[in-house]
């Protein structure tokens, strides 16, 4: 059954046909370079170059530039081509979110395509061409992740510890009973919500990082930082929002840095750093890796999704209670 991604590809192939494609000036007849690939070959090369590193790809820089020029002429052909060369990297993620969170795949894919086009429009001025493709991909991934986050309550959070190097066996947790309870099996939503927060708090206390968490909470309570949950959740789903306000809820991922190094990410993934480098060079790394000089930065949220770690929503009181229990009441 066809979906929006298939229709984008079919439309691009219909417009460009089987003849040569020129990304330099947009017209094969006007180009000084006489050898041009067919659209099929051009598309394969663009997809591969985008996965490797669009920011350093001359091909993608030329594509973005010719796309902008086409927009000025009122021709959306190259905008369609750019979208067609981006959406293949959305397929596996959208399929996984659809399967794991019981969300319509077509709905996710449509939202990703629309978001990519919105970013294309928003980056028309002030953004270098080499950065446009990555921004389109990043925004589309974030939209897809939000579809999964919207159903956070249906999934356990037992694997959240994978993002921290130390491992805490359940039987050694100070929370004892709550640490081995499957949150997903609890019918009382209030109790399940409380246990999620307590586990997070106990984990950070045990690892000696709770001072940073406490500072984060102080900022939330003082209004120096806004709770991230309000943007995507209605207050009716947050049990204590009517009492304390939704600002005291946040995603567990807010406690982690936005990006970590490739070595740390590879450790969480269970592979060697050298293997991670090979996957990136081959265009087979499971999610985008941001280039930072000679090294790479990995999105923690993308890594959480890859490891199937739900980005659960917690309340500051529950997190602090969990830390208090883990410290023995000190």
């Amino acid at each position: 059954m066809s979906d929006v991604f298939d229709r984008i590809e079919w439309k691009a192939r219909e417009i460009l046909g089987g003849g040569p494609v020129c990304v330099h000036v947009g017209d094969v007849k006007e180009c000084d370079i006489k050898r041009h690939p067919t659209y099929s070959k051009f598309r394969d090369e663009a997809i591969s170059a985008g996965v490797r590193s669009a920011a350093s790809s001359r091909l993608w820089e030329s594509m973005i530039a010719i796309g902008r020029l086409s927009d000025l002429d009122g021709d959306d052909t190259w905008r369609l081509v750019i979208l067609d060369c981006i959406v293949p990297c959305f397929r596996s993620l959208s399929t996984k979110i659809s399967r794991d969170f019981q969300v319509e795949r077509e709905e996710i894919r449509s939202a990703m395509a629309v978001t990519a086009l919105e970013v294309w429009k928003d980056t028309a001025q002030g953004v270098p061409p080499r950065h446009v493709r990555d921004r389109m991909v990043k925004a589309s991934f974030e939209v897809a992740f939000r579809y999964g986050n919207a159903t956070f309550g249906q999934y356990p959070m037992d694997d959240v510890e994978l993002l921290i190097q130390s491992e805490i066996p359940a039987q050694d947790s100070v929370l004892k009973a709550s640490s081995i309870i499957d949150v997903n099996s609890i019918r009382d939503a209030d109790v399940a919500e409380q246990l999620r927060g307590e586990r997070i708090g106990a984990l950070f206390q045990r690892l000696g990082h709770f001072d940073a968490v406490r500072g984060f909470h102080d900022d939330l309570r003082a209004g120096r930082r806004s709770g991230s949950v309000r943007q995507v959740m209605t207050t009716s789903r947050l049990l204590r929002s009517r009492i304390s306000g939704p600002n005291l809820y946040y995603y567990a991922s807010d406690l982690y840095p936005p990006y970590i190094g490739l070595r740390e990410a590879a450790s969480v993934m269970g592979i060697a750093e050298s293997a991670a480098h090979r996957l990136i060079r081959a265009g087979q790394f499971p999610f985008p890796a941001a280039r930072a000089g000679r090294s790479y930065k990995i999105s923690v949220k993308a890594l959480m999704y890859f490891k199937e770690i739900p980005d659960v929503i917690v309340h500051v009181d529950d997190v602090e209670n969990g830390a208090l229990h883990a410290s023995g009441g000190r």
Side-chain angles (χ1 to χ4, degrees):
M1 183 177 178
S2 65
D3 57 28
V4 63
F5 290 176
D6 296 323
R7 293 192 290 273
I8 289 170
E9 181 180 353
W10 294 341
K11 186 63 177 179
R13 291 183 183 276
E14 177 186 337
I15 294 174
L16 295 172
V21 176
C22 175
V23 73
H24 309 104
V25 296
D27 188 339
V28 174
K29 297 179 181 179
E30 299 293 330
C31 186
D32 293 334
I33 298 175
K34 300 306 178 185
R35 298 182 63 182
H36 298 86
T38 62
Y39 181 66
S40 180
K41 186 175 181 180
F42 166 83
R43 181 176 183 269
D44 290 343
E45 184 179 350
I47 292 171
S48 178
V51 171
R52 288 197 303 271
S53 178
S56 61
S57 168
R58 291 183 179 180
L59 175 59
W60 269 96
E61 193 165 356
S62 297
M63 289 170 63
I64 300 300
I66 199 69
R68 297 298 188 200
L69 292 173
S70 297
D71 281 355
L72 292 175
D73 292 335
D75 182 359
D76 61 3
T77 299
W78 276 96
R79 190 192 320 164
L80 178 66
V81 168
I82 289 167
L83 189 61
D84 182 37
C85 293
I86 287 178
V87 294
C89 73
F90 297 165
R91 287 185 179 274
S92 61
L93 176 65
S94 57
T95 298
K96 185 172 179 58
I97 291 179
S98 174
R99 182 185 66 243
D100 292 351
F101 295 96
Q102 286 78 54
V103 182
E104 287 292 335
R105 189 179 67 177
E106 174 70 7
E107 184 178 353
I108 298 172
R109 291 186 170 182
S110 295
M112 294 178 82
V114 168
T115 299
L117 289 174
E118 288 175 348
V119 174
W120 170 261
K121 180 180 178 181
D122 293 342
T123 55
Q125 295 181 346
V127 178
R130 65 180 181 275
H131 296 316
V132 173
R133 187 261 183 196
D134 288 345
R135 291 197 182 189
M136 294 171 73
V137 171
K138 179 182 178 182
S140 298
F141 270 50
E142 288 175 349
V143 166
F145 285 134
R146 285 203 291 270
Y147 274 88
N149 286 338
T151 55
F152 76 98
Q154 301 175 16
Y155 297 87
M157 54 151 291
D158 301 321
D159 291 335
V160 71
E161 298 167 9
L162 288 170
L163 278 178
I164 302 181
Q165 294 180 359
S166 301
E167 185 174 308
I168 302 176
Q171 64 269 25
D172 193 37
S173 171
V174 181
L175 288 178
K176 294 184 172 65
S178 69
S179 67
I180 59 174
I181 293 174
D182 179 5
V183 177
N184 200 37
S185 67
I186 299 175
R187 295 185 178 182
D188 190 321
D190 197 3
V191 174
E193 177 184 295
Q194 180 180 344
L195 285 179
R196 290 189 187 96
E198 288 184 351
R199 286 186 179 183
I200 291 284
L203 177 64
F204 276 87
Q205 177 66 38
R206 181 65 180 272
L207 295 173
H209 300 318
F210 197 73
D211 285 344
V213 177
R214 187 178 290 109
F216 177 79
H217 288 182
D218 289 344
D219 286 345
L220 286 178
R221 289 193 170 101
R224 292 188 293 268
R225 182 193 296 265
S226 297
S228 57
V229 174
R230 292 188 300 175
Q231 302 172 10
V232 294
M233 297 289 291
T234 60
T235 57
S236 62
R237 292 190 61 183
L238 305 176
L239 297 172
R240 278 160 289 179
S241 62
R242 296 184 183 88
I243 300 173
S244 61
N247 195 50
L248 297 184
Y249 282 92
Y250 60 91
Y251 286 110
S253 62
D254 292 342
L255 297 175
Y256 301 110
Y259 293 90
I260 59 176
L262 185 60
R263 177 178 299 176
E264 292 81 4
S267 176
V268 173
M269 295 169 67
I271 61 176
E273 183 181 7
S274 58
H277 276 287
R278 287 196 297 272
L279 288 173
I280 291 174
R281 288 195 296 269
Q284 297 176 351
F285 202 69
F287 42 84
R291 193 69 179 263
R294 295 184 177 181
S295 60
Y296 291 94
K297 294 294 184 182
I298 304 300
S299 165
V300 167
K301 287 189 176 182
L303 183 58
M304 288 177 71
Y305 187 80
F306 173 76
K307 294 298 295 184
E308 299 183 348
I309 303 173
D311 194 4
V312 297
I313 293 175
V314 294
H315 191 278
V316 294
D317 291 344
D318 297 331
V319 176
E320 290 173 357
N321 286 338
L324 184 64
H325 288 309
S327 66
R330 296 187 298 274

